Structure formats: C-alpha cells, structure tokens
C-alpha cells in the first residue's frame, strides 16, 4: 500500500492534476506512458490507474476507459551485477548479528530473498544436508514460490550448514528460520533493503539490491567449474536453457571442478 501510494503521489497525481476522469483521453494516457523509463514503475502505475478507471465504470461515473492502447515495451534498467568473492566474504563477516546468517544463506544457496524469508525449520534436514523450498514471503504474506519449478529440494553446502546451525541457536523455538528485530517473520525482501543499503555503504561497496546474492551464487559456482545443470536446479529454473541464457559468460571451458566458493 505504501509503495502504491508513493507511486500515485509522485507519478500519477502530479501528471493528471486538475483533470476530471471524464476529461482523460487515450492520448493523455499515451503521453503519460512516455514519461516512464523503467518498466517496473510503469507496470505498477498502470495497474493503479487502469483498475481505478474500471472501477469508475462499474460505479457508473464514466462509460468507457482511456486505457485502450498497449503499454510501451521498455527495456528494464535492472542489471545483473554479482559480488566478487572478497566482497561477499566481507559483507557476510560485517553484517549485523540479526542478518549475518540470513545473508550468508542467500550467498551460499542462491535462494530468492522471499524464499529464504519463508523458510521453515521443518524444511531443513541436517541429516541428509538438504533444504526444501515450498514457500516465500511476499507483501507480508506467505505464498507459494514464484514458479512450479521453484518448488524444489536443494543441497545444503557445508557453509550453509554452518550458518543454519548458528541460526538454529537463535530461532529454534520459532516456525520460521529467520526473524526480524522484533522476532517476527520478515514481511518481504523490501523490509531488508534499508539495513542492506546501510551495510554496503559502510563497507564502501557499490550499492545494488540484495537479490544480487542470487546472481553471486550462480556466477561464482559456474566460474569455479560446477555443473550448469546442478546450478540450474539449485536456482529453481524451469530449464537449463534459462540458466545458460543468464549466466553463460561465467562458464569456464576447462575441466576444473574446484569448489572454493567463498571458502573461509
């Protein structure tokens, strides 16, 4: 809600200010689209306004909607920018106690942030070194993973085991593995962003989203000679082709199979 309200206040209300809904024409929407450069922001703002007009039709305020044209296909500004070995190690070792184990698990598993936040102790198997991923936290609610292939069981690397056992000492009496500062489940990945940005700034590391931990896992594993299919399964990709399309530049041609990823 806060996110939508912010977008309404910054991108919608100022542009259409002082216009009655009956005065807004398709050309106005078309010109409004031209003010966007980011696809995600455009999609969110379009959702807010489009459904507002549809609701106005249902209430009888207007008889038609100006949303008759297709949204422009903007190129996303999102850039894959994984951390280096040294950066990842520094971030883990410098993270505040409440976030250290969570950040380490993200780096060592390649899980989506929401998947880690929705992780439960019942899905952690220390006997066969596996983690079952069948939920995620999104917008304050527990939901199913992003795709069918995201429902998966992944390997627990030794480093992951170490940090999960440290976390077990803290939250073993809770349903969820990771809890926030008031011992409640994190609502979403956005609830981590402020602390994450502060940490990167403190370490003088280029600002980027916490989702880059996932890219860091994939790129570093492939760079160290791990099998692409195994990496694809760890990430929960629908097919190996998706993994290769995203991370092919990190795959080495030699036969080296050294696993030194973030080795302490």
């Amino acid at each position: 809600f806060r996110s939508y309200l912010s977008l309404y206040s910054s991108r919608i209300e100022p542009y259409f200010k002082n216009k009655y809904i009956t005065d807004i024409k398709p050309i106005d929407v078309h010109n409004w689209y031209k003010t966007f450069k980011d696809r995600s922001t455009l999609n969110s703002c379009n959702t807010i306004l489009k459904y507002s007009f549809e609701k106005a039709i249902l209430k009888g305020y207007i008889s038609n909607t100006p949303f008759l044209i297709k949204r422009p296909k903007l190129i996303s500004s999102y850039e894959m920018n994984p951390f280096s070995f040294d950066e990842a190690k520094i971030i883990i070792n410098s993270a505040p106690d409440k976030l250290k184990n969570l950040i380490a698990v993200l780096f060592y598993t390649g899980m989506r942030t929401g998947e880690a936040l929705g992780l439960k102790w019942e899905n952690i198997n220390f006997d066969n070194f596996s983690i079952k991923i069948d939920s995620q936290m999104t917008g304050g609610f527990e939901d199913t993973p992003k795709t069918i292939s995201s429902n998966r069981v992944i390997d627990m690397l030794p480093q992951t085991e170490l940090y999960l056992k440290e976390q077990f000492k803290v939250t073993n009496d809770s349903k969820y593995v990771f809890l926030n500062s008031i011992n409640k489940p994190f609502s979403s990945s956005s609830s981590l962003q402020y602390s994450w940005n502060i940490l990167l700034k403190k370490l003088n590391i280029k600002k980027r989203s916490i989702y880059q931990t996932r890219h860091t896992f994939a790129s570093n594993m492939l760079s160290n000679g791990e099998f692409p299919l195994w990496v694809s399964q760890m990430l929960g990709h629908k097919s190996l082709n998706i993994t290769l399309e995203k991370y092919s530049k990190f795959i080495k041609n030699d036969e080296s199979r050294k696993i030194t990823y973030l080795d302490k």
Side-chain angles (χ1 to χ4, degrees):
F1 173 79
R2 288 193 298 268
S3 174
Y4 274 14
L5 180 60
S6 175
L7 288 174
Y8 174 81
S9 300
S10 63
R11 302 304 303 270
I12 298 175
E13 199 254 355
Y15 188 87
F16 294 103
K17 192 173 183 179
N18 299 325
K19 272 184 175 286
Y20 289 108
I21 56 173
T22 50
D23 294 334
I24 298 177
K25 309 300 180 186
I27 187 62
D28 298 316
V29 175
H30 176 68
N31 291 332
W32 177 58
Y33 283 158
K34 292 180 179 179
T35 67
F36 292 88
K37 294 182 179 180
D38 176 68
R39 183 174 60 188
S40 177
T41 303
L42 168 61
N43 289 342
S44 296
C45 287
N46 188 77
T47 297
I48 297 169
L49 205 52
K50 180 176 182 289
Y51 287 116
S52 298
F53 272 88
E54 290 179 0
K55 193 170 184 178
I57 290 177
L58 292 175
K59 287 183 173 290
Y61 299 146
I62 55 177
S63 58
N64 54 62
T65 173
F67 285 83
L68 305 174
I69 58 176
K70 291 184 178 180
R71 282 169 287 170
K73 294 183 179 180
L74 301 180
I75 299 176
S76 174
S77 59
Y78 180 80
E79 179 184 359
M80 187 173 67
N81 189 9
F83 295 94
S84 67
F85 284 145
D86 291 338
E87 286 177 330
K89 288 165 65 176
I90 291 172
I91 291 171
I92 293 173
N93 293 331
S94 303
D97 292 339
K98 203 70 179 180
L99 296 179
K100 183 187 292 289
N101 297 328
L102 169 58
I103 290 174
V105 168
L106 288 172
F107 272 120
Y108 289 124
T109 62
M111 276 192 279
R112 298 178 180 91
T113 313
E115 293 172 345
L117 300 184
L119 197 60
K120 305 180 188 70
W121 283 118
E122 64 185 33
N123 290 348
I124 306 294
N125 193 322
F126 288 113
D127 294 327
N128 67 4
F129 308 107
S130 66
I131 302 171
K132 182 180 180 181
I133 299 174
D134 60 6
S135 62
Q136 66 175 4
M137 295 298 290
T138 305
F141 296 94
E142 183 178 327
D143 197 0
T144 55
K146 183 178 179 181
T147 62
I148 294 177
S149 59
S150 297
N151 280 279
R152 62 198 188 279
V153 176
I154 65 173
D155 294 331
M156 183 191 302
L157 299 180
Q159 298 96 327
T160 309
E161 179 190 9
L162 170 67
Y163 286 101
L164 282 176
K165 285 186 174 179
E166 286 298 313
Q167 185 65 22
F168 187 76
K169 298 175 184 178
V170 182
T171 61
N172 66 83
D173 58 346
S174 169
K175 176 182 178 181
Y176 292 95
V177 175
F178 300 108
L179 303 175
N180 61 22
S181 58
I182 58 173
N183 293 320
K184 299 289 184 181
F186 288 93
S187 60
S188 66
S189 58
S190 60
S191 61
L192 296 170
Q193 201 60 49
Y194 178 77
S195 299
W196 174 257
N197 290 341
I198 292 294
L199 177 59
L200 295 187
K201 184 176 181 180
K202 175 184 174 183
L203 298 174
N204 198 29
I205 294 176
K206 182 181 177 181
K207 181 181 176 181
R208 64 201 90 163
S209 74
I210 196 169
Y211 196 82
Q212 296 289 347
T213 57
R214 179 171 167 85
H215 298 321
T216 302
F217 171 84
S219 60
N220 282 310
M221 280 296 179
L222 292 170
S223 294
N224 278 284
E226 262 299 348
F227 287 130
L229 182 58
W230 178 80
V231 175
S232 182
Q233 292 169 340
M234 288 287 287
L235 296 174
H237 284 165
K238 183 178 180 179
S239 70
L240 177 58
N241 288 339
I242 295 175
T243 310
L244 295 178
E245 181 181 345
K246 287 178 173 288
Y247 303 107
S248 59
K249 63 182 178 181
F250 299 105
I251 299 176
K252 290 185 176 180
N253 293 323
D254 58 40
E255 299 299 320
S256 173
R257 301 262 302 132
K258 292 190 302 180
I259 301 300
T260 58
Y261 175 54
L262 303 184
D263 208 9
K264 296 186 71 176

